Amino acid sequence: LHKEYRRQRQMCIRDSLSQPHLIKMSNQLINRPPKLVTIVTQSIRKSIVEGELPLGEYIAEERIAATLGVSRTPVREALMSLQFQGLVETAPPRGAYVFKPSYDEVVKLSEFRMFMELQALTLAAGNQLQKLLTDLRRATAAMRTAAAHADRLGYGKADAEFHDALFASCENPYLTEAYQLTSGRFDTLRNFLSGRLSERSPSPADDHDQIIDAIAEGRLEAGKTLLADHILRMAKNYKAAL
């Protein structure tokens, strides 16, 4: 990570010398490489979301620091940031753990997600209907392709893209920002449950098809009802998985 950080910084400095417009009056670079703690945060977040660090897993700062080739300081700062996102929980003096919500917590989280997505769908259908339908269909097709190849992470990624499409077309940055603050927990739980797709029938992709059809046919309220049922089902599936 140190080598990658230095490489990105050198590239930015080189580009700024050849492109003066990238320099502020104070000679402070606008185009800066990401801070080391940002890179560490993204790495740990990816490990949590994709399940490499399972729900409830103890997070050893020393081991992560050694794996990433950094000191414990950026790891500690990264864990603080991830705690704010709800992906990490601390239990002094034992240390940090990957979040592992109870069934009741997942119910509340699902309810929050439902309220956000229903509002995003309402706005998106009124603002960018055709873009919304295109993005939803593309994501659903990707889900089926991933399922056919038993690609758990690909399936979860495509599933996330389906729901993110609602916010990409809602044209309300504040709603999108609020959703993104908790999206890491949704994505983590989605990937956790996608490993059990073969045990469930019908597939979530079938729900998506019905939601898309309702929206495309102008039956927005029916589409919202289907979306709400689809989201709230996560808590039931989580309870069964536990």
Side-chain angles (χ1 to χ4, degrees):
L1 284 176
H2 277 302
K3 291 181 180 179
E4 176 64 16
Y5 176 77
R6 287 197 299 269
R7 186 186 69 81
Q8 293 185 32
R9 182 170 182 79
Q10 289 170 355
M11 290 177 60
C12 288
I13 293 174
R14 182 191 62 199
D15 292 344
S16 68
L17 293 177
S18 61
Q19 304 178 57
H21 65 278
L22 289 178
I23 304 179
K24 290 182 177 180
M25 293 299 292
S26 62
N27 291 326
Q28 185 176 13
L29 295 176
I30 295 176
N31 186 13
R32 293 183 175 183
K35 293 182 179 179
L36 183 59
V37 65
T38 300
I39 299 175
V40 174
T41 302
Q42 292 172 344
S43 178
I44 300 175
R45 186 184 189 279
K46 183 174 184 290
S47 295
I48 293 174
V49 170
E50 295 186 355
E52 183 180 344
L53 287 173
L55 298 179
E57 177 85 357
Y58 172 68
I59 304 175
E61 292 182 8
E62 301 90 343
R63 184 173 61 197
I64 291 179
T67 300
L68 299 180
V70 300
S71 68
R72 290 181 60 181
T73 299
V75 174
R76 191 174 296 114
E77 292 183 24
L79 293 178
M80 290 177 61
S81 175
L82 293 171
Q83 182 178 3
F84 175 74
Q85 297 177 35
L87 292 174
V88 169
E89 299 174 351
T90 57
R94 291 180 294 170
Y97 296 80
V98 178
F99 85 114
K100 185 177 182 179
S102 66
Y103 167 70
D104 288 339
E105 289 171 331
V106 174
V107 169
K108 292 180 174 60
L109 186 62
S110 298
E111 289 173 345
F112 170 76
R113 177 187 164 198
M114 177 189 69
F115 295 142
M116 298 286 284
E117 291 197 26
L118 290 181
Q119 183 60 33
L121 173 55
T122 300
L123 295 175
N127 295 330
Q128 297 193 54
L129 177 59
Q130 293 308 313
K131 179 182 184 303
L132 172 64
L133 290 172
T134 298
D135 292 344
L136 294 179
R137 287 169 176 148
R138 182 187 300 114
T140 303
M143 287 177 68
R144 296 197 184 285
T145 299
H149 292 84
D151 181 1
R152 180 181 67 85
L153 292 178
Y155 190 98
K157 180 176 181 293
D159 192 2
E161 289 173 352
F162 179 95
H163 296 276
D164 290 345
L166 302 174
F167 296 89
S169 296
C170 77
E171 296 186 350
N172 187 319
Y174 302 106
L175 184 64
T176 301
E177 182 180 0
Y179 179 80
Q180 290 174 343
L181 287 175
T182 50
S183 64
R185 279 177 279 186
F186 304 150
D187 294 342
T188 303
L189 292 172
R190 181 183 291 114
N191 285 329
F192 171 72
L193 293 172
S194 68
R196 295 159 174 78
L197 286 172
S198 60
E199 302 172 13
R200 298 207 307 274
S201 181
S203 162
D206 298 328
D207 290 351
H208 290 180
D209 284 331
Q210 296 176 35
I211 294 169
I212 293 172
D213 289 343
I215 298 172
E217 294 168 4
R219 296 182 292 112
L220 183 58
E221 290 306 314
K224 291 168 66 175
T225 298
L226 290 168
L227 177 62
D229 292 343
H230 170 74
I231 293 172
L232 295 178
R233 199 175 303 129
M234 172 180 276
K236 179 181 178 180
N237 293 334
Y238 181 73
K239 184 176 182 179
L242 292 179

